[in-house]
Amino acid sequence: MAVLSILEVPELKKLAEQYGYTIHIHDACGGQAFSLEQNGEVSDEIYHALEEFFKKHHMTIHFFDEKKHNFSAR
């Protein structure tokens, strides 16, 4: 399973902040899970930006809920 390195995490957090979110990274057995928390004025463009970020790292996003605030990347 693909995972982000410790060096890629700050880049992801900075990206999320640009769209009004704080991103939390959760370690799980053999992988990572992520959650978005609104932090001010938010933009729906975050979803496209996240897809592009993970695509650049050869990963795809899988959302767990309708609000798209919880996801994993593979």
Side-chain angles (χ1 to χ4, degrees):
M1 177 174 284
V3 295
L4 290 181
S5 76
I6 193 79
L7 299 174
E8 296 163 333
V9 170
E11 181 184 353
L12 177 60
K13 287 186 169 281
K14 187 174 182 179
L15 174 74
E17 287 174 3
Q18 294 174 16
Y19 295 94
Y21 287 93
T22 300
I23 193 160
H24 301 283
I25 301 167
H26 313 279
D27 251 349
C29 290
Q32 296 169 321
F34 305 87
S35 59
L36 291 172
E37 177 183 352
Q38 295 180 351
N39 187 19
E41 188 173 329
V42 297
S43 170
D44 285 343
E45 292 297 314
I46 182 72
Y47 305 112
H48 177 69
L50 288 173
E51 287 174 1
E52 290 300 313
F53 175 86
F54 282 99
K55 185 177 185 180
K56 182 174 87 173
H57 293 89
H58 309 288
M59 300 165 78
T60 57
I61 296 176
H62 301 276
F63 291 100
F64 300 141
D65 58 2
E66 280 186 29
K67 291 183 180 181
K68 294 185 173 181
H69 286 179
N70 298 291
F71 63 96
S72 67
R74 300 181 193 146

